[in-house]
Amino acid sequence: MMGRHYLAGLLLAASILSGCAVVQKPIPATSAIFEQKESTVVVAIEKMPEPGQVMLGSQGLLDIVINRANAKAIVDRLQTQDFSQVSGLPQSFRSGLESRQIKVVMIDAALDTETMPKFTEGSGEGIALRDYRPLAKQYKADKLLLITPRSLGTVRSYYGFMPLGAPMGYIALTGQLVNLSTNKLEWYDRVEVQTAALGEWDQAPEYDNLMKAVDESTRGAVGRLRGSFFMEKASPTAAPLAGGSAPATAVSTQ
């Protein structure tokens, strides 16, 4: 039974990178979003996941135990990593909306979407999975801008207990704009960025180069998600220095 649970976790982790489990395709933002000056947008973020290492590849139960034990030092270090750029995304989106003369209401606490009912009056692409319509009355808002941090930390591939490469910085985020009258999506994007460390990565206990790669992935993912919504190009990052991180690589989710 436990083996099935581990297998399910691995399949879920694999889908994070491959995108094979994604039903909803990206919905690009349009200028019409920012022309509706009378709209009020409620901005929220879901609970931040525990920083950790996504482990991909073919692994048995014993392999997983070994690989998790070997990754523990990295995971412990990730607990002290600064992910405030991700947690600060609601304020960043708020500033961008207000600079376009759109009224914003903030939900200060993390939104627990798991406690919200699924939307049952329609399904398929372009429809939010959860029924967010009650938020319209609760916050006197027309739309919901929801940010979902899906993975924070690193990723590494394995064959059994053998690593197939070095761990890489890895950040996965989702953003969506929901019309609270219809529960339809007006913008939807999934951003995944992975970055290889430059130079030696196995520098326990601080893992300086690997954490720089995590930082690079964080900056890249945050910039891409915000740029997707506001239809802006993410600011280019500076050329990496020796012992820093390799250029971030966006992972397609389509």
Side-chain angles (χ1 to χ4, degrees):
M1 192 70 178
M2 184 177 295
R4 291 181 181 177
H5 289 163
Y6 275 115
L7 180 58
L10 285 174
L11 292 175
L12 176 61
S15 72
I16 291 175
L17 283 182
S18 68
C20 61
V22 178
V23 174
Q24 178 58 55
K25 295 179 180 179
I27 298 175
T30 67
S31 59
I33 292 173
F34 309 108
E35 293 169 357
Q36 299 167 9
K37 307 297 185 183
E38 72 285 354
S39 295
T40 297
V41 178
V42 57
V43 177
I45 189 171
E46 293 197 61
K47 182 180 178 180
M48 298 271 285
E50 279 293 315
Q53 179 159 286
V54 175
M55 299 190 306
L56 304 180
S58 177
Q59 302 163 81
L61 177 58
L62 180 58
D63 300 324
I64 293 172
V65 172
I66 294 171
N67 294 338
R68 285 183 173 174
N70 290 339
K72 185 177 184 301
I74 293 175
V75 174
D76 287 346
R77 171 60 183 85
L78 285 169
Q79 304 309 303
T80 63
Q81 186 70 3
D82 181 9
F83 293 105
S84 59
Q85 288 188 70
V86 176
S87 60
L89 268 172
Q91 288 296 337
S92 176
F93 276 82
R94 174 184 186 172
S95 298
L97 287 166
E98 290 182 338
S99 71
R100 291 162 173 79
Q101 292 77 53
I102 294 175
K103 184 179 179 181
V104 174
V105 177
M106 300 293 293
I107 299 180
D108 294 327
L111 190 64
D112 185 2
T113 62
E114 293 299 317
T115 64
M116 304 179 73
K118 291 186 177 181
F119 187 68
T120 59
E121 298 178 21
S123 61
E125 289 191 20
I127 303 291
L129 294 177
R130 300 286 174 176
D131 189 353
Y132 297 112
R133 293 175 301 173
L135 298 178
K137 182 177 181 180
Q138 183 177 356
Y139 293 99
K140 296 181 173 57
D142 304 290
K143 301 178 183 182
L144 166 68
L145 177 58
L146 179 63
I147 300 151
T148 305
R150 304 194 324 275
S151 186
L152 307 174
T154 58
V155 63
R156 196 175 194 183
S157 296
Y158 298 85
Y159 181 75
F161 61 86
M162 297 294 295
L164 296 180
M168 302 177 69
Y170 176 64
I171 304 294
L173 310 172
T174 296
Q176 54 188 317
L177 182 69
V178 185
N179 186 309
L180 294 178
S181 295
T182 62
N183 217 51
K184 290 184 177 180
L185 297 168
E186 297 188 0
W187 167 72
Y188 182 93
D189 203 4
R190 293 168 62 94
V191 171
E192 301 178 358
V193 177
Q194 59 185 29
T195 310
L198 285 184
E200 178 62 41
W201 68 265
D202 193 0
Q203 303 165 302
E206 292 302 313
Y207 296 97
D208 288 342
N209 292 343
L210 183 58
M211 293 305 118
K212 289 176 183 177
V214 174
D215 281 339
E216 190 70 21
S217 289
T218 302
R219 285 192 294 271
V222 165
R224 284 174 58 86
L225 191 68
R226 193 184 188 284
S228 169
F229 180 71
F230 291 108
M231 298 180 292
E232 301 169 341
K233 289 186 177 180
S235 299
T237 55
L241 302 175
S245 59
T249 301
V251 181
S252 173
T253 57
Q254 299 183 38

